[in-house]
Amino acid sequence: MSLITATEALATATIQSAIDAAAAAGGGRVTLAEGEHNTGGLVLRSGVELHLAAGAVLKPVPDYDAYAGNISGVIAEGSDRAILYAKGATNIAITGPGRIFAPGQAYIVGEDSSVGTFTPAQHRPRVLVFENCRDVRLDGITIEDSPMWTLHLVACKTVSVTRVTVINNERLPNTDGLVIDSCSDVIVENVSIATADDGVCLKTSRQGDTIGVCRNITVRNCQVASQSCALKLGTESFGDFDNVVFEDCQVLRSNRALGIFSRDGGAITNVRFSRISLDCHETADGFWGSGEALTITLADRRADRPAGSISGIVFEDITGSMEGALNIVSTGQAQISDVRLSRIEIFQRPGKLGTGRYCDMRPTAADLAPAGHLAGRANAWIRGQDGAIIGLVPYPGGMPGLYAPGISDLQLLGVEIHRPKQLPEGWNDAVIIVD
């Protein structure tokens, strides 16, 4: 075991040398002792556990160029690099109880109060990217103030993420907590996330010419607070998703709670959300969503790659409150089918912003490649020539409790949506709208 004591000097070379030596010796633990460890980019090697002892703080420097050696094959929101990186490694781990204090504040370059968000820098590093790794373990660490996606696992197999805490700025976009991208055999449990963007998010990104799948993913006993979507599949959905479970979780003070979003050609099948309590509120237009307890949307945004179908979806034993509606909407060529809602009890209440009265179909084709003369930020929000946000669609006749037009094989078993006796302005008299 290698023990590294804290120092005021930049510790990148010292920590990396210890990791490399442990790997060369066949594996082992590198421990950061109590105190601050200032660092640039680090690469984890096979067989190595990076352990942050009690009181240890890994403090990455606020310089994008410091991570030029950690280039990821998956570009995310303009980011091509990571603070902590591994590729093709096996049996790797980062463990606590220490913490990583990332430099997110340094990547805020302005504020757009009209949509409720800070303006991020064009280039921001992700805290962690592991690509094509096997036997990955993240346990007991705390990560604070990520500049961009916090934990990004790409095409990894046999992954355990336990007792991890993520605390990010709740107005800085793209600070997703945990992104599980084209991975298989993943267990996430006893994780706590508070962030501006998605909490636990499953994706299937396009990795050059390669498209992977997300399969056999279980997320349980987690607490998530998100200004976007707390527990989510999509929107990057080039490959398929299959056998995904979210269970026994709490969604706290969030915008959207549970979401499935098909956009890029992959099929989404066999997904279950069980025993989840939630609290959903409206947010300003800079965040996707409008206070929905659950949302399933399917929309074509690429002319050469229509959105894939969604089927075999179960929501059961879901309780809580929302300021938006339950949405199940397809505007694409493919269908949403075989959806079951069982034992759902939601209290629908009016919000202060009024954004819940719109069905949010973002991201659209306009968000992928915004026209130069339109105001906004790519893959976030775009204002049309009329000044309205593209993708926000008023509900016909006002906001219902459940909006699910044209969905085949939709089963509603014990669905209760409690509404005010005196319906607010802009609400639909109908609780449930289905065809």
Side-chain angles (χ1 to χ4, degrees), residues 75-369:
I75 308 296
E77 308 294 348
S79 168
D80 67 354
R81 59 197 64 179
I83 295 167
L84 300 168
Y85 184 66
K87 184 173 184 179
T90 59
N91 188 23
I92 57 175
I94 300 179
T95 62
R99 64 191 179 108
I100 300 169
F101 191 81
Q105 185 68 30
Y107 294 88
I108 296 173
V109 298
E111 180 177 5
D112 193 334
S113 58
S114 69
V115 292
T117 69
F118 288 123
T119 304
Q122 182 178 5
H123 299 296
R124 298 170 282 164
R126 286 159 276 177
V127 172
L128 177 148
V129 179
F130 287 171
E131 294 183 61
N132 296 290
C133 296
R134 183 184 292 271
D135 298 325
V136 174
R137 183 166 60 95
L138 303 175
D139 178 66
I141 57 172
T142 295
I143 306 102
E144 299 180 50
D145 201 24
S146 176
M148 234 281 291
W149 295 0
T150 310
L151 304 171
H152 188 191
L153 305 172
V154 185
C156 293
K157 297 181 179 180
T158 315
V159 177
S160 171
V161 182
T162 56
R163 301 184 303 137
V164 169
T165 299
V166 174
I167 305 170
N168 289 334
N169 188 307
E170 295 190 21
R171 292 184 62 202
L172 182 59
N174 313 122
T175 52
D176 300 49
L178 171 60
V179 178
I180 301 169
D181 188 347
S182 308
C183 296
S184 60
D185 303 319
V186 179
I187 296 288
V188 179
E189 56 186 343
N190 300 315
V191 166
S192 175
I193 295 172
T195 192
D197 223 292
D198 301 326
V200 178
C201 183
L202 278 56
K203 300 179 183 288
T204 49
S205 298
R206 183 158 48 191
Q207 303 156 37
D209 295 329
T210 302
I211 295 175
V213 299
C214 245
R215 180 179 291 123
N216 303 334
I217 314 293
T218 298
V219 179
R220 62 192 177 209
N221 297 319
C222 295
Q223 288 190 343
V224 181
S226 165
Q227 300 309 302
S228 192
C229 188
L231 304 174
K232 176 182 176 182
L233 287 79
T235 52
E236 287 90 337
S237 48
F238 290 92
D240 296 344
F241 300 77
D242 182 47
N243 192 26
V244 176
V245 174
F246 296 90
E247 61 187 8
D248 301 305
C249 292
Q250 290 182 293
V251 176
L252 310 171
R253 55 185 181 82
S254 290
N255 176 3
R256 282 171 164 158
L258 319 175
I260 299 175
F261 305 87
S262 176
R263 294 295 186 274
D264 303 317
I268 301 174
T269 57
N270 301 321
V271 180
R272 175 170 58 86
F273 295 85
S274 298
R275 300 180 300 280
I276 296 173
S277 63
L278 51 85
D279 173 26
C280 298
H281 59 77
E282 294 178 326
T283 54
D285 290 339
F287 295 101
W288 294 346
S290 47
E292 307 107 292
L294 68 87
T295 297
I296 305 176
T297 65
L298 185 157
D300 298 335
R301 63 172 174 176
R302 301 176 188 274
D304 63 335
R305 197 172 178 86
S309 62
I310 301 174
S311 64
I313 311 301
V314 174
F315 297 90
E316 59 186 8
D317 301 302
I318 310 298
T319 60
S321 62
M322 65 180 182
E323 295 179 354
L326 310 180
N327 289 326
I328 307 175
V329 181
S330 173
T331 61
Q333 300 175 41
Q335 288 190 337
I336 301 172
S337 63
D338 187 17
V339 178
R340 175 166 60 87
L341 278 62
S342 298
R343 300 179 300 281
I344 310 295
E345 185 174 19
I346 301 293
F347 289 82
Q348 188 179 32
R349 61 180 187 237
K352 296 179 180 180
L353 301 177
T355 53
R357 296 196 296 265
Y358 293 83
C359 180
D360 194 339
M361 293 300 296
R362 289 177 293 179
T364 69
D367 296 296
L368 277 182

